[in-house]
């Protein structure tokens, strides 16, 4: 059963099982960016976008619905940075639980019976010891706390996205798995930038992630679709788990003081088609990826995976 014909009366366990079958046997289309879609609607980056779950729910719901209308089979919650320490930095600690709960509710309301709901959890923004000051146990506790709140609202899967540090990703996987047996898609970001993971190490790192208790591994964000394709070409056939590719829409450019992604829907869709041809079992987009791009991706992917 795919997301497009899933029964709304199905239990969370049923929907999770449906997702596992879909990613194993076919190609699953994920949604695109949330943050840059919010930014494109005039909300500046000096605030916590996740707070909009409470005071801008109509906007968040509209973004989710646009992705569903475009054909996305997985809708990702607006909870990427909604961990307690980051909410505390914005003076939102007392709203931590409701921000995360509302993230799942809004996504579920938009998805209906047409798409799976993925609870999004991102990195904590601090380096783990011994390279940084964040103790692994503290990271585990923070991830576990957010996972508990998100999973109380019964999403269908969890997406751990944009992790550069595999040690931090391990703590996130452990934390989610300590709470639930829910499907996990664990994604890392790769970039030629000296501060990031070099793409040349992608296969080795992704193999390590695939050995954990996750259902799929992914490459997301990073340096754009060209780098992601280089990784997929090498890694897909060497991984024991399905591979998901969700890159940025290229590199942003400054236009009148705003960061704008210049890639066209057709450009992103052609890369999505190539991802599938090279073995990816899930495709989507990260920063700069729009609903129109997801719509074109669906069209292009159908030429090589008609069942989507």
């Amino acid at each position: 059963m795919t997301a497009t014909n899933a029964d709304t009366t199905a239990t969370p366990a049923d929907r999770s099982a449906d997702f596992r079958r879909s990613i194993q046997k076919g190609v699953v289309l994920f949604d695109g960016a949330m943050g840059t879609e919010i930014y494109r609607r005039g909300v500046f980056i000096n605030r916590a976008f996740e707070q909009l779950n409470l005071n801008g729910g109509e906007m968040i719901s509209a973004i989710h619905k646009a992705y569903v209308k475009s054909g996305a089979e997985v809708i990702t919650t607006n909870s990427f940075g909604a961990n307690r320490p980051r909410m505390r930095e914005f003076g939102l600690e007392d709203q931590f639980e409701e921000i995360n709960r509302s993230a799942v509710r809004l996504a579920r309301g938009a998805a209906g019976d047409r798409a799976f709901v993925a609870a999004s959890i991102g990195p904590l923004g601090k380096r783990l010891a011994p390279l940084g000051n964040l103790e692994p146990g503290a990271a585990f506790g923070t991830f576990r706390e957010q996972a508990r709140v998100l999973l109380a609202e019964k999403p269908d899967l969890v997406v751990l996205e944009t992790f550069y540090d595999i040690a931090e990703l391990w703590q996130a996987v452990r934390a989610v798995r300590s709470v639930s047996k829910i499907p996990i898609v664990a994604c890392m970001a790769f970039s030629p930038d000296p501060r990031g993971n070099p793409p040349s190490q992608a296969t080795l790192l992704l193999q390590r992630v695939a050995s954990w208790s996750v259902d799929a591994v992914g490459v997301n964000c990073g340096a754009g679709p060209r780098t992601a394709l280089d990784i997929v070409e090498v890694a897909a056939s060497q991984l024991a788990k399905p591979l998901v590719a969700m890159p940025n829409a290229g590199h942003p450019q400054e236009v009148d003081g705003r960061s704008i992604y210049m890639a066209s829907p057709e450009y992103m869709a052609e890369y999505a088609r190539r991802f599938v041809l090279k073995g990816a079992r899930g495709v989507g987009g990260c920063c700069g990826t729009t609903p129109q791009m997801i719509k074109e991706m669906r069209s292009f992917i159908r030429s090589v995976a008609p069942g989507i």
Side-chain angles (χ1 to χ4, degrees), residues 21-43:
R21 283 192 291 269
S22 296
I23 199 74
Q24 286 285 344
K25 297 182 178 181
V27 176
V28 177
L29 181 62
F30 288 69
D31 59 7
M34 173 58 74
T36 49
E37 281 297 292
I38 293 172
Y39 179 69
R40 192 167 66 85
R41 286 162 169 76
V43 181

Side-chain angles (χ1 to χ4, degrees), residues 232-254:
V232 171
E233 287 179 330
V234 177
S237 64
Q238 300 185 40
L239 296 175
K241 303 284 176 66
L243 178 61
V244 176
M246 299 185 289
N248 287 347
H251 295 282
Q253 298 183 22
E254 291 295 323

Side-chain angles (χ1 to χ4, degrees), residues 128 136 139-140 143 160 163 165-178 184 186-188 208-209 211-214:
L128 266 62
F140 172 85
F143 288 128
L160 304 173
F163 280 78
D165 182 357
I166 193 170
E168 185 181 15
L169 179 56
W170 168 237
Q171 297 303 328
V173 169
R174 287 183 59 236
V176 175
R177 198 48 82 223
S178 73
I184 297 174
C187 302
M188 295 194 69
R208 288 178 59 190
V209 178
S211 70
W212 304 341
S213 180
V214 301

Side-chain angles (χ1 to χ4, degrees), residues 16-72:
S16 292
D18 288 343
F19 172 77
R20 284 190 167 109
R21 283 192 291 269
S22 296
I23 199 74
Q24 286 285 344
K25 297 182 178 181
V27 176
V28 177
L29 181 62
F30 288 69
D31 59 7
M34 173 58 74
T36 49
E37 281 297 292
I38 293 172
Y39 179 69
R40 192 167 66 85
R41 286 162 169 76
V43 181
F44 291 100
I45 59 175
N46 60 350
R47 63 176 297 182
F49 285 173
E50 294 85 359
Q51 188 186 22
L52 292 169
N53 296 337
L54 303 183
N55 59 20
E58 290 185 2
M59 178 189 295
I60 303 304
S61 181
I63 293 171
H64 287 318
K65 288 177 180 178
Y67 282 122
V68 173
K69 185 177 180 180
S70 296

Side-chain angles (χ1 to χ4, degrees), residues 71-189:
E73 296 176 292
V74 177
I75 302 302
T76 310
T77 61
N78 182 37
S79 55
F80 174 79
N83 56 75
R84 187 180 291 277
R86 183 169 178 272
M87 293 299 93
R88 184 183 301 124
E89 291 175 3
F90 283 96
L92 302 172
E93 184 175 8
D94 60 339
Q95 299 178 51
F96 161 75
E97 288 201 13
E98 190 57 27
I99 285 172
N100 280 282
R101 287 181 174 270
S102 295
V104 181
R105 293 173 192 154
L106 288 167
R108 179 69 70 198
D113 63 352
R114 299 175 63 186
F116 299 110
V117 172
S120 170
I121 298 177
L124 303 179
K126 297 180 180 179
R127 303 194 72 178
L128 266 62
L131 299 177
N133 297 322
L134 180 62
E135 291 298 326
F140 172 85
T142 298
F143 288 128
R144 178 170 177 157
E145 180 184 35
Q146 187 183 7
R148 279 188 179 279
V149 177
L150 288 167
L151 269 56
E153 293 295 329
K154 309 299 184 183
D156 305 317
L157 64 144
V158 171
V159 174
L160 304 173
E161 51 184 329
T162 320
F163 280 78
Y164 282 92
D165 182 357
I166 193 170
E168 185 181 15
L169 179 56
W170 168 237
Q171 297 303 328
V173 169
R174 287 183 59 236
V176 175
R177 198 48 82 223
S178 73
V179 174
S180 171
K181 296 180 180 180
I182 193 169
I184 297 174
V185 178
C187 302
M188 295 194 69

